[in-house]
Amino acid sequence: MKIALLGCGNVGTEVVRLLDAQRSDLEARVGEPLELAGIAVRRPGKDRSDLPVDPSLFTADAIGLATRADVDIVVELVGGIEPARTWITSALELGKSVVTGNKALLAEDGASLYEAAAAANVDLYYEASVAAAIPLLRPLRESLHGDTVTRVMGIVNGTTNFILSRMTQTGAGFAEALEEAGDLGYAEADPTADIEGYDAAAKAAILAGLAFHTRVTASDVYREGITEVTAADVASAKRMDCVIKLLCIATRDADSVSVRVHPAMIPNDHPLAGVNGAYNAVFIEAEAAGQLMFYGAGAGGAPTASAVLGDLVAVARSRRGGARAVPQSSYAQLAVRPMGEVITSYHVNLDVDDEPGVLAEVASVFAAHRVSMRTVRQSGRGDDAVLVAVTHPATDAQLSATVAELAKLPTVRRVDSVMRVEGELGRWAETGAA
Amino acid sequence: MKIALLGCGNVGTEVVRLLDAQRSDLEARVGEPLELAGIAVRRPGKDRSDLPVDPSLFTADAIGLATRADVDIVVELVGGIEPARTWITSALELGKSVVTGNKALLAEDGASLYEAAAAANVDLYYEASVAAAIPLLRPLRESLHGDTVTRVMGIVNGTTNFILSRMTQTGAGFAEALEEAGDLGYAEADPTADIEGYDAAAKAAILAGLAFHTRVTASDVYREGITEVTAADVASAKRMDCVIKLLCIATRDADSVSVRVHPAMIPNDHPLAGVNGAYNAVFIEAEAAGQLMFYGAGAGGAPTASAVLGDLVAVARSRRGGARAVPQSSYAQLAVRPMGEVITSYHVNLDVDDEPGVLAEVASVFAAHRVSMRTVRQSGRGDDAVLVAVTHPATDAQLSATVAELAKLPTVRRVDSVMRVEGELGRWAETGAA
């Protein structure tokens, strides 16, 4: 079984190492050896003598390698939309199976790739695209195949989780925590994809598509990053016995799904609250299975390579057996619910005038939008007077209309911050503590 | 695709319900309808009108149903060794695929069943046999196929976890907590299989076999139940900032594995310490993937049925595609290390004479067996004088020899309790809090 590897960075290097170190195990598991046919890199001449591989395997001709007649499986680890899409599509059309970790491409244009794989009767697997080695896609695709998944909620971006963990632990502001993340290698030179939530949104689209057997693209995902999260927000969360996490939340009802990524307060006793640093964790809730949680390293060369190798063995086995592995299915064709219709809760911080009647005025605005208030707290005097309100669940449209009107009240000097509140599961804590 | 269901208790009933409720989804996922060909029960005449199924499907003739020409897949949910083994073997030999949740049978005689499945080129799947709906076997069998699993550690028996949780929460003794578990339906009328650790040992054998690609039977598993755990042990654990859990622990090194089930103290800040009641959680550690955790309901009709249906879809799909799903592999043929060679730590409670020199005497016994002590604490006066020692890791043989010699010391009135200490991971906590 001949493997073409496209890309030899952090993950590709570990894939090469594992293919060598596990050679005999892999052969036993697949039924025949897995052999590297070539490795496409930008600079084939670079010294890679530390890698256990014949230097003549390196080539700059990625498309040539991906379409070579003797190649059975293409492993794409370059990322980005193009030229990765062309390489993958060309390989699939020539009847090669593909393993990729390319979340951006799958979230933007997965459907056309799944179709190309189906048309050629070959496999396209991508466990590495979400949460590295944590087995999430295979459980969704196979283990829960006899069940109805109703909700997926998790932390799927390590960079933002590191930044928010540091802000919580040290009281640092966003800029300072981002700088620390960069220094420690947890944030890239251009961190936009992470901190603006694009990376998490791509993963959310992939998870929701698999969980709900429907098509979800990155553009279907409501997305807010963490750049607006302030040290004051983190402090507010602490006062509520909460922490702020960047969550991906996908839910389904009878005929629609909603998929969103945004920072939210979650209670300290929620299991996701304890997931710190670069770790990932995802809850999956299904009708019969109940609530399941998966936890592990969400990034890194070796953990991601472990996911790639798992897929590689599955794809090689199915190829050898002359059958396809379990493909992506999207028969459900569910509509995507607009964010305005999603049910959520808000935590609202207002700078207010220090005079009697303010609370009544604010409360009447909530009431006018039929939003029920859970708690309200007024504190500080004079210029420091603030009012903090936490709502019961309502539609996002009701809540944002409420906030817009609050901002116009003469007694409200400023809407200081608005943050969603999630994960009042209780159910986990209660049943878990039964 | 025709399904024969053997057994219609708690889980079987939910399987029937799910097959009906998810009819169209299952058809879309498999590619053709899944139809019940018959349901074998002890009393076919019993009123089951609440089940969405034609009453004429019920039969008392299990072997007749399992071997019927029109049956494609047999789902065995009766449990126990015989007649389940005969039914499953007969079905496999006739070319039918089998889905089962029968942990006792798989742990005792899995190898002959895997061979029968391989000989007939059909599938034998059993996700429901361990931790109900938590996807554990499929991740081990497939997701981590490109990696080397080095350790599996978890809580896999809900009854004992409920009992130990209650003892921790209320200070109750074992007998009292067992009675409460029985009243609430968490313990069976004859709880032996749970409280003596047989159920957990069977699951440990199944997990270890899959994780390490080798053959492990229940008789290979070192097993201690929780019947000897006292309220005093629980109180000792609390003083150490620990809780007592019944753990299943399987490890591998280059050429051997060890598999054991016993109560152990684990630190309160270990993630397994917070897994309470009837819940299950399992850590899997692999060379490249690092540490993964899986959590969810470990028992119950609906969660177990979810696992059965997941397997049913996988087996039906592979049957339709004319290929086998990923089978059990045992190519590694690793030896099972005797418990005496396993590295562990002990917490030892001694009733001692209240006189100078006792500690020195005790310490010299540890030293003579080359066991390093981590902490030692002497307290109480006169008849209440006790000495509590916690060791650094050593072989179980060294530790039990030490305890045997301590018992013979004239100044030691009684060895009050001996409990293993596990899960000083720290690694989870440290990296998780990075």
Side-chain angles (χ1 to χ4, degrees):
Chain A
M1 196 71 67
K2 295 266 197 181
I3 319 292
L5 180 60
L6 312 183
C8 197
N10 202 7
V11 179
T13 300
E14 290 298 330
V15 168
V16 170
R17 289 220 171 90
L18 281 173
L19 280 172
D20 181 65
Q22 313 251 27
R23 184 174 299 281
S24 64
D25 279 315
L26 292 171
E27 179 172 346
R29 292 168 195 177
V30 172
E32 64 182 284
L34 295 181
E35 272 175 45
L36 271 174
I39 306 174
V41 291
R42 222 163 336 179
R43 292 185 296 138
K46 187 180 156 190
D47 177 28
R48 293 182 177 88
S49 51
D50 54 327
L51 276 184
V53 74
D54 178 352
S56 72
L57 289 180
F58 291 99
T59 169
D61 180 13
I63 185 73
L65 176 60
T67 56
R68 233 170 69 187
D70 65 330
V71 166
D72 297 291
I73 304 174
V74 173
V75 178
E76 184 272 315
L77 297 171
V78 170
I81 308 298
E82 282 295 349
R85 173 164 44 195
T86 303
W87 298 341
I88 292 175
T89 309
S90 307
L92 291 171
E93 283 168 356
L94 287 167
K96 302 172 195 312
S97 296
V98 172
V99 173
T100 176
N102 193 329
K103 55 196 155 265
L105 175 56
L106 289 164
E108 178 168 306
D109 199 18
S112 74
L113 300 182
Y114 310 141
E115 277 160 24
N121 198 32
V122 293
D123 293 327
L124 171 66
Y125 261 38
Y126 46 93
E127 182 73 60
S129 65
V130 181
I134 309 175
L136 275 174
L137 306 193
R138 190 169 277 102
L140 282 173
R141 188 193 278 118
E142 301 178 35
S143 305
L144 292 165
H145 233 152
D147 206 336
T148 300
V149 177
T150 51
R151 188 178 168 90
V152 176
M153 170 158 122
I155 295 168
V156 295
N157 180 272
T159 304
T160 49
N161 201 46
F162 178 88
I163 292 169
L164 292 171
S165 295
R166 292 307 289 165
M167 290 174 72
T168 301
Q169 285 154 5
T170 68
F174 170 75
E176 192 186 332
L178 170 62
E179 196 181 321
E180 190 185 348
D183 291 346
L184 293 171
Y186 290 117
E188 293 179 43
D190 176 0
T192 311
D194 292 316
I195 63 178
E196 296 290 1
Y198 291 102
D199 175 83
K203 292 165 177 170
I206 294 169
L207 285 172
L210 273 173
F212 306 140
H213 301 274
T214 193
R215 274 190 197 172
V216 180
T217 67
S219 60
D220 295 325
V221 180
Y222 175 84
R223 178 193 52 75
E224 278 177 36
I226 65 164
T227 54
E228 311 281 305
V229 178
T230 64
D233 290 332
V234 171
S236 290
K238 273 193 184 161
R239 274 195 298 274
M240 299 250 306
D241 278 326
C242 282
V243 289
I244 297 176
K245 295 289 185 188
L246 183 69
L247 297 182
C248 107
I249 304 173
T251 59
R252 78 164 278 177
D253 56 24
D255 52 13
S256 70
V257 300
S258 82
V259 193
R260 52 197 165 111
V261 166
H262 55 70
M265 293 185 183
I266 54 171
N268 278 324
D269 61 3
H270 189 283
L272 290 178
V275 176
N276 286 317
Y279 276 72
N280 282 189
V282 175
F283 272 85
I284 294 175
E285 201 167 319
E287 280 179 4
Q291 224 161 18
L292 305 168
M293 186 175 84
F294 302 76
Y295 170 94
T304 310
S306 172
V308 169
L309 268 278
D311 278 357
L312 198 47
V313 170
V315 165
R317 283 185 55 91
S318 84
R319 201 171 175 85
R320 201 172 137 73
R324 289 188 77 199
V326 182
Q328 169 90 8
S329 71
S330 58
Y331 65 86
Q333 301 185 356
L334 301 168
V336 175
R337 219 174 315 147
M339 186 62 190
E341 293 176 18
V342 169
I343 305 293
T344 175
S345 297
Y346 273 22
H347 175 281
V348 186
N349 255 5
L350 305 171
D351 285 354
V352 293
D353 287 343
D354 181 15
E355 58 184 51
V358 171
L359 201 154
E361 227 179 331
V362 166
S364 69
V365 172
F366 279 97
H369 291 275
R370 310 189 61 78
V371 174
S372 169
M373 295 171 86
R374 190 159 58 182
T375 61
V376 57
R377 184 170 54 84
Q378 218 172 347
S379 60
R381 306 304 315 228
D383 286 352
D384 294 329
V386 294
L387 190 149
V388 177
V390 181
T391 75
H392 280 293
T395 68
D396 207 73
Q398 280 173 287
L399 290 161
S400 62
T402 306
V403 170
E405 195 173 328
L406 287 172
K408 287 186 216 144
L409 285 184
T411 49
V412 170
R413 294 197 304 269
R414 203 163 72 95
V415 175
D416 223 33
S417 77
V418 175
M419 179 81 62
R420 293 186 186 85
V421 182
E422 297 286 342
E424 332 153 58
L425 299 213
R427 203 153 91 76
W428 196 91
E430 279 160 30
T431 52
Chain B
M1 197 70 67
K2 295 265 197 182
I3 317 295
L5 180 60
L6 312 183
C8 197
N10 202 6
V11 179
T13 299
E14 289 297 329
V15 167
V16 170
R17 289 221 171 88
L18 282 172
L19 280 172
D20 179 65
Q22 312 251 27
R23 185 174 300 281
S24 64
D25 281 314
L26 292 170
E27 179 172 347
R29 292 167 195 177
V30 172
E32 63 181 286
L34 295 181
E35 273 174 45
L36 272 174
I39 307 173
V41 291
R42 225 167 328 183
R43 293 186 294 137
K46 187 179 156 190
D47 177 27
R48 291 182 178 88
S49 51
D50 53 328
L51 277 184
V53 73
D54 177 352
S56 71
L57 289 180
F58 290 99
T59 169
D61 179 14
I63 186 72
L65 175 60
T67 55
R68 234 169 69 186
D70 63 331
V71 165
D72 296 290
I73 304 175
V74 173
V75 177
E76 185 272 313
L77 297 172
V78 170
I81 307 299
E82 282 296 350
R85 172 163 46 195
T86 303
W87 298 342
I88 292 175
T89 310
S90 305
L92 291 171
E93 284 169 356
L94 286 168
K96 301 172 195 315
S97 296
V98 173
V99 173
T100 176
N102 193 330
K103 55 199 155 262
L105 175 57
L106 290 163
E108 179 169 306
D109 198 17
S112 74
L113 299 183
Y114 310 141
E115 278 160 25
N121 198 33
V122 292
D123 294 325
L124 171 65
Y125 261 38
Y126 46 93
E127 182 73 61
S129 66
V130 182
I134 309 175
L136 274 174
L137 306 193
R138 190 169 276 102
L140 282 173
R141 188 192 278 118
E142 301 177 34
S143 306
L144 293 165
H145 234 154
D147 206 336
T148 299
V149 177
T150 51
R151 188 178 168 88
V152 176
M153 171 159 120
I155 294 168
V156 295
N157 180 272
T159 304
T160 49
N161 200 47
F162 177 88
I163 292 170
L164 293 171
S165 295
R166 291 308 288 166
M167 289 174 73
T168 302
Q169 285 155 5
T170 68
F174 170 75
E176 192 187 333
L178 171 60
E179 196 182 320
E180 190 186 347
D183 290 346
L184 293 171
Y186 289 118
E188 293 179 42
D190 177 359
T192 312
D194 292 316
I195 64 179
E196 294 291 1
Y198 290 102
D199 174 84
K203 292 165 178 170
I206 294 170
L207 285 173
L210 272 174
F212 306 140
H213 301 273
T214 192
R215 274 189 197 173
V216 180
T217 67
S219 60
D220 295 325
V221 181
Y222 174 85
R223 179 192 51 76
E224 276 177 38
I226 64 164
T227 55
E228 311 281 304
V229 177
T230 64
D233 291 332
V234 171
S236 290
K238 273 192 185 163
R239 275 193 298 274
M240 300 249 306
D241 278 327
C242 283
V243 287
I244 297 177
K245 295 288 185 188
L246 182 70
L247 297 181
C248 106
I249 304 173
T251 59
R252 78 164 278 176
D253 57 23
D255 51 12
S256 69
V257 300
S258 81
V259 193
R260 53 196 164 111
V261 166
H262 55 70
M265 293 184 183
I266 54 171
N268 278 324
D269 61 4
H270 189 284
L272 288 180
V275 176
N276 286 317
Y279 275 72
N280 283 188
V282 175
F283 272 85
I284 294 174
E285 201 167 320
E287 281 178 4
Q291 224 162 19
L292 305 168
M293 186 174 84
F294 301 76
Y295 171 93
T304 310
S306 173
V308 170
L309 268 278
D311 278 358
L312 198 48
V313 170
V315 165
R317 283 186 55 91
S318 84
R319 200 169 176 87
R320 204 172 134 74
R324 286 189 78 198
V326 182
Q328 169 90 9
S329 73
S330 58
Y331 66 87
Q333 300 185 356
L334 301 168
V336 175
R337 219 174 314 147
M339 186 62 190
E341 293 176 20
V342 169
I343 306 293
T344 174
S345 298
Y346 273 21
H347 175 280
V348 185
N349 255 7
L350 306 171
D351 286 355
V352 293
D353 287 344
D354 181 15
E355 58 184 51
V358 171
L359 201 153
E361 229 178 326
V362 166
S364 71
V365 172
F366 279 97
H369 291 275
R370 311 187 61 77
V371 173
S372 170
M373 295 171 87
R374 189 158 60 182
T375 61
V376 57
R377 184 169 52 84
Q378 217 171 349
S379 59
R381 305 304 314 228
D383 286 352
D384 294 330
V386 295
L387 190 150
V388 177
V390 181
T391 74
H392 279 293
T395 68
D396 207 73
Q398 280 173 287
L399 290 163
S400 61
T402 307
V403 171
E405 195 173 327
L406 287 173
K408 288 185 214 144
L409 284 184
T411 49
V412 170
R413 294 197 305 270
R414 201 162 74 94
V415 176
D416 224 32
S417 77
V418 176
M419 179 80 63
R420 294 186 184 84
V421 182
E422 297 288 341
E424 331 155 59
L425 299 213
R427 202 154 92 74
W428 197 89
E430 278 160 30
T431 51

